[in-house]
Structures are given as structure tokens and as C-alpha cells.
């Protein structure tokens, strides 16, 4: 089939991979940071001129990187709202990231529709500060003149695809990107224009949602551009996850997502019901406390880094001599305890050693993520293996405990830009479909990532006992807070 490219426009940089369309082998790579001068109002990192993304893209593609490429896919940061006027010009800089300015707007929106359950029923998620629908409410309340001028709504990957195609009349997006907006339902596959109006004060034009293997268009030079998608969906596609697979991401906060055949409507709001890049669904459960738990413990113990904390934890044993850390340092979303704090239980004279506290931090973090996995399992999501992502996934203390605490095979892929690889795989799918060599319902079978495979093995019973110890303390401390 030839060669294809995937570009991942992350919050701080653009990375491009050029791949063999049949095997997925990475042939060339490009990278460029977003120019700092592209950001407007330096005191507001939540506002970014989208031209910065284009400048970075051009630099990353320099040196003939895209020579011979037949199709391109675009992955980009989610929740970046690009409001345009009727002529297609930006009304204001793009609003990106977890915009804390919009927290009050999120609460307003939840109340305006009649509560969390009403939102879960409408679009499969409850408004958070980062979501485009919430940013629209903030815009209407805070910058009413800009809100009135806003005629078209796009996200980062929609906008980049549109620019690559030369700003055609037709504007497109995909199910994955649309499902994170707060005004498109993964369950019905339709926009909720009434929610745009509720947030913005009037209707706006929305991109056409095209299928996973559809092309958004062709450039004047004949380059096919695929639908594009959000970074979460692109990474899942790049990893090649399918039914029975879950992905646990270890950042400062944590997230657990899994592939599922149907959309999950969760009245509690713990599950965000996203669509994936293949036509399936991608329910996500978030915890607020993952690696921040480890960093806080390392600071408390006077350790310079997480590697030292891991080494110390490995001197302890499973169960940390009875020490249990409920890692709710920033409050928690799963379970819903927004105003709580962390708890350290099980203190005895013999457990009061640094290595046991280090072990309890790792076990507490992983048990919190196991709770998130249980939310999905409790809704019928099958989890046979867990892909573990993030730098902390390489730590020996994480790898020693995760398989038995999760009760599943754990896969630790080698670090790579799976968002860019997923975008390239989408490009190969669109190219193959357009040429009649691939089934539009079946993505290209690319080789999976190189990875370590960790089995629970004989440690399973021990890990489940540690898990039960955590659950007992959680139930005693916060009775009834966690309902699967």
C-alpha cells in the first residue's frame, strides 16, 4: 500500500511518524515544540493561538519527512476548543487543557440541565472544567461579545485537518473527538444542539461526524487526510487494544479505559462514555491521585526521586505490614469524595518504618486504580489484560504489585508516541478503504508494540488479600462512598 504518516499535536509539541502502511513499522520521525510566542496573554497558558500548532507541524515535517507519503492521520490534544466566526477566523485564542477558570461554569451547567443524572443520560458524561461544553458556558458568561461572534465550533484535530485540506466548506470530525465535547452522545451517535445553546446562548455550526475509516478529504497535492481523532482514542488505536483489554495511565492523576461494544450510561457520573477510533466504545474512569501519591510520599521520606521510593518499597512485603494508605490527597473522583483527604491506617510499632510507608504508597495508588477497574467490571466490561502506561509503569515496585492487585495480565509497552502511531494506522485504514484493499469495518492489522508481559501467577491470592485490606479500610473510613 505504500507509506502513511501520523501526526500527534500534543499540548507542548508535534510529533510525526512515517510508517509502512502494511506492517506499521516506523520508517521516519519528526519532532518540534510548539513556539512559545504562539501563545497569547502569557499569564494565561489556557489560551493558545492555534497558529502555534501549524508552525510546529511545519517544523516537525521539515527536511522532506513526508516525501512519498500517501495519507496522513491527525491526533491532537482533547478538550481544546477553537471558536470561529462565520468567515472561519478564530474569535479568540483556543481554550485548552483542564481550564480551572471553567469550574464554576461546570457546576452551572450541571444545575441548568437538572443534575448529574440528566447529563449522563443526555451525552454519557457529566460536565468537567476541561470539556468544550463547559468552556462555552464560561465564554458566554465571561466574554459575551466573543460568544455572540462564535458561529462555528471545532476542536484541535478538527481544526488541523481543516487547515491541511485548505479550509474547505465541509468541516469534519470523528466519533472519538466528538464524544468528549459534552454535546455529542456516543450512545445515540448524534449531536445535542440544545446543549450547545444551553451553554453558549445560541446555536453554532458543528463538524460533520464521519466514520472511522472515512477520509476527511484530499489535499490539492493528492494527499489523503483521514478523519483524525483525539489523543486518547489515537493512543488506544496505536496500542492495538481490543475487547478484553484495559489501559491504565499513570500520570499525576490516573485513568482507566477499556474497549466495550456499547455505550455505558452511568448515573453516578463515574464513567465518561467516550467513543473510540474504530466504531466501538471507550468508557473511561478517572482517579485524581496516582503518581502524585508517590511524589508526595517520596518528599515526606526525604527521597530524591521515584526510583529511590521504589527501591525502598521493595524492602517491604505485600501488605506493608498492615499499613494502608487511602491516597485521596486531592479529594477523589472514584469514589466521589471531592472534599476528603488521604488516610493512613494500620499504624503499629512494627509497621512504622520507611519501607512499609513506601510500599503502602504504591499499593494505595494501585488499589485506587483497581477500584476504577472494578467500576468498569461492575458494568459488564471484560478485563483480561491491562496495558500500563506512563513513566511510573517502569518502576519495579509498580510491576511487582500491579498484576496481583489488578487480577489480570499486565502489559508494559515500550515507551513510544502511540498517539502518532494510532493516527498513522487510521491513515492507512482510510487509504486502504479508498483503494478497495481494506474492509471499511476492519482496521489494518499492524504488529503490536514491544512490551513486557507480567502475570499474577502465584502472587494472585496475596495480591487479592492486600486489595481486601484496602477495601476494608476504605469502607470503614468512607462507608457507602464506593458503589459499583
Amino acid at each position: 500500500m505504500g507509506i502513511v504518516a501520523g501526526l500527534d499535536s500534543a499540548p507542548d509539541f508535534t510529533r510525526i511518524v512515517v510508517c509502512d502502511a502494511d506492517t506499521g513499522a516506523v520508517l521516519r520521525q519528526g519532532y518540534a515544540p510548539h513556539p512559545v510566542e504562539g501563545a497569547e496573554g502569557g499569564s494565561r497558558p489556557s489560551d493558545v493561538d492555534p497558529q502555534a500548532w501549524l508552525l510546529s507541524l511545519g517544523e516537525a515535517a521539515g527536511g522532506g519527512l513526508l516525501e512519498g507519503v500517501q495519507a496522513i492521520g491527525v491526533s491532537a490534544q482533547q478538550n481544546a476548543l477553537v471558536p470561529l466566526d462565520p468567515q472561519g477566523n478564530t474569535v479568540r485564542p483556543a481554550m485548552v487543557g483542564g481550564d480551572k477558570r471553567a469550574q464554576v461554569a461546570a457546576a452551572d451547567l450541571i444545575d441548568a440541565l437538572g443534575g448529574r443524572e440528566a447529563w449522563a443520560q443526555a451525552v454519557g458524561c457529566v460536565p468537567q472544567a476541561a470539556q468544550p461544553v463547559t468552556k462555552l458556558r464560561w465564554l458566554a458568561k465571561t466574554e459575551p461579545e466573543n460568544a455572540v461572534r462564535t458561529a462555528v465550533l471545532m476542536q484541535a484535530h478538527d481544526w488541523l485537518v481543516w487547515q491541511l485540506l485548505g479550509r474547505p466548506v465541509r468541516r469534519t470530525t470523528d466519533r472519538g473527538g466528538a464524544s468528549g465535547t459534552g454535546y455529542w452522545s456516543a450512545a445515540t451517535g448524534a449531536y445535542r444542539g440544545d446543549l450547545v445553546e444551553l451553554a453558549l446562548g445560541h446555536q453554532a455550526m458543528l463538524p460533520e461526524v464521519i466514520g472511522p475509516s472515512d477520509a476527511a478529504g484530499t489535499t490539492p497535492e493528492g494527499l489523503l487526510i483521514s478523519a483524525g481523532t483525539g489523543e486518547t482514542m489515537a493512543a488506544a488505536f496505536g496500542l492495538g487494544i481490543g475487547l478484553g483489554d484495559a489501559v491504565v495511565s499513570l500520570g499525576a492523576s490516573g485513568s482507566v479505559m477499556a474497549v466495550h461494544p456499547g455505550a455505558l450510561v452511568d448515573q453516578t457520573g463515574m464513567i465518561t462514555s467516550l467513543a473510540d477510533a474504530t466504531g466501538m466504545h471507550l468508557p473511561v474512569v478517572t482517579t485524581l491521585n496516582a503518581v502524585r501519591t508517590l511524589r508526595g510520599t517520596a518528599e515526606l521520606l526525604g527521597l530524591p526521586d521515584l526510583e529511590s521510593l521504589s527501591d525502598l518499597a521493595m524492602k517491604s512485603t505485600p501488605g506493608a505490614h498492615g499499613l494502608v494508605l487511602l491516597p485521596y490527597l486531592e479529594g477523589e473522583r472514584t469514589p466521589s469524595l471531592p472534599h476528603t483527604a488521604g488516610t493512613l491506617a494500620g499504624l503499629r510499632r512494627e509497621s512504622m518504618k520507611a519501607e512499609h510507608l513506601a510500599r503502602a504508597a504504591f499499593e494505595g495508588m494501585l488499589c485506587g486504580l483497581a477500584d476504577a477497574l472494578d467500576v468498569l467490571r461492575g458494568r459488564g466490561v471484560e478485563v483480561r489484560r491491562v496495558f500500563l502506561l506512563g513513566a511510573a509503569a517502569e518502576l519495579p515496585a509498580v510491576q511487582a504489585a500491579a498484576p496481583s492487585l489488578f487480577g489480570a495480565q499486565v502489559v508494559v509497552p515500550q515507551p513510544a508516541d502511540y498517539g502518532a502511531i494510532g493516527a498513522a494506522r487510521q491513515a492507512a485504514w482510510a487509504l486502504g478503504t479508498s483503494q478497495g484493499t481494506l474492509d471499511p469495518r476492519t482496521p489494518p492489522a499492524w504488529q503490536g508494540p514491544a512490551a513486557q508481559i507480567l502475570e499474577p501467577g502465584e502472587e494472585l491470592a496475596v495480591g487479592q488479600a492486600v486489595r481486601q485490606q484496602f477495601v476494608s479500610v476504605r469502607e470503614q473510613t468512607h462507608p457507602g462512598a464506593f458503589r459499583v
Side-chain angles (χ1 to χ4, degrees):
M1 264 166 54
I3 58 174
V4 294
L7 71 88
D8 179 26
S9 182
D12 300 314
F13 62 82
T14 300
R15 192 180 300 280
I16 301 176
V17 296
V18 176
C19 300
D20 181 285
D22 294 313
T23 66
V26 176
L27 307 174
R28 305 190 285 272
Q29 296 188 58
Y31 169 88
H34 296 326
V36 177
E37 62 269 24
E40 289 190 11
S43 62
R44 277 186 168 184
S46 298
D47 289 348
V48 175
D49 182 349
Q51 293 297 325
W53 308 334
L54 280 183
L55 291 167
S56 168
L57 192 166
E59 190 180 334
L65 184 78
L66 299 180
E67 202 172 308
V69 166
Q70 294 167 272
I72 292 181
V74 176
S75 156
Q77 59 179 308
Q78 283 158 242
N79 298 323
L81 178 69
V82 187
L84 304 176
D85 67 16
Q87 289 73 45
N89 302 313
T90 50
V91 169
R92 68 178 315 284
M95 300 172 69
V96 301
D99 201 327
K100 290 191 174 178
R101 294 175 293 177
Q103 284 173 341
V104 173
D108 278 353
L109 274 180
I110 293 169
D111 290 343
L113 195 65
R116 300 169 68 85
E117 287 189 23
W119 279 96
Q121 288 283 0
V123 286
C125 59
V126 178
Q128 304 287 334
Q131 281 181 300
V133 71
T134 306
K135 289 169 177 168
L136 289 179
R137 180 71 157 203
W138 180 90
L139 195 63
K141 295 284 186 184
T142 315
E143 299 177 2
E145 299 89 352
N146 285 335
V148 168
R149 289 175 56 217
T150 298
V152 182
L153 302 177
M154 301 188 90
Q155 292 189 86
H157 81 83
D158 312 336
W159 188 83
L160 284 165
V161 165
W162 185 58
Q163 295 291 330
L164 288 172
L165 290 171
R167 296 166 56 113
V169 173
R170 183 192 190 213
R171 301 178 180 92
T172 62
T173 189
D174 85 309
R175 297 168 66 255
S179 67
T181 58
Y183 42 81
W184 186 88
S185 166
T188 64
Y191 280 117
R192 288 288 301 264
D194 57 319
L195 299 182
V196 173
E197 191 165 346
L198 180 72
L200 185 62
H202 61 86
Q203 293 284 353
M205 284 186 64
L206 301 167
E208 176 190 344
V209 181
I210 60 176
S213 62
D214 291 345
T218 306
T219 67
E221 299 77 30
L223 195 62
L224 192 79
I225 309 293
S226 66
T229 195
E231 59 189 351
T232 299
M233 300 79 191
F237 197 40
L239 284 166
I241 68 168
L243 292 173
D245 292 335
V247 177
V248 172
S249 294
L250 299 176
S253 55
S255 69
V256 177
M257 63 181 176
V259 177
H260 196 58
L264 296 178
V265 174
D266 174 44
Q267 310 295 357
T268 68
M270 281 198 288
I271 298 174
T272 298
S273 191
L274 300 177
D276 78 348
T278 73
M280 302 281 272
H281 293 266
L282 206 60
V284 179
V285 181
T286 303
T287 69
L288 294 183
N289 301 279
V291 175
R292 64 164 45 98
T293 305
L294 305 183
R295 294 203 185 283
T297 307
E299 285 175 22
L300 181 66
L301 294 173
L303 298 173
D305 50 41
L306 297 187
E307 288 73 19
S308 304
L309 185 71
S310 174
D311 292 344
L312 186 60
M314 294 299 282
K315 293 177 181 174
S316 181
T317 52
H321 275 245
L323 270 193
V324 175
L325 178 63
L326 300 183
Y328 307 149
L329 309 183
E330 297 279 319
E332 190 47 81
R333 273 185 66 182
T334 309
S336 181
L337 297 164
H339 306 299
T340 194
T343 302
L344 185 63
L347 281 169
R348 299 179 184 275
R349 178 64 191 89
E350 62 271 19
S351 66
M352 295 177 75
K353 292 185 177 177
E355 60 263 34
H356 302 324
L357 178 55
R359 179 88 189 195
F362 281 96
E363 290 177 348
M365 175 188 77
L366 292 169
C367 283
L369 290 160
D371 279 352
L373 273 170
D374 280 353
V375 171
L376 295 178
R377 284 175 167 137
R379 294 298 307 279
V381 177
E382 186 182 12
V383 179
R384 288 195 305 272
R385 61 177 182 168
V386 175
F387 285 73
L388 204 53
L389 302 185
E394 304 287 334
L395 296 172
V398 169
Q399 296 191 3
S404 62
L405 291 177
F406 292 161
Q409 182 189 80
V410 169
V411 180
V412 184
Q414 282 187 356
D417 195 319
Y418 292 106
I421 292 168
R425 190 177 176 209
Q426 189 193 60
W429 195 5
L431 180 64
T433 299
S434 73
Q435 294 174 340
T437 56
L438 284 178
D439 185 331
R441 294 160 301 180
T442 309
W446 281 12
Q447 190 172 353
Q452 285 176 273
I453 309 293
L454 309 169
E455 300 283 357
E458 295 175 359
E459 295 295 310
L460 181 59
V462 174
Q464 292 306 294
V466 172
R467 182 82 209 291
Q468 191 51 52
Q469 179 177 270
F470 177 91
V471 169
S472 297
V473 171
R474 188 195 66 217
E475 280 302 304
Q476 287 166 11
T477 313
H478 305 287
F482 189 80
R483 296 185 184 90
V484 177

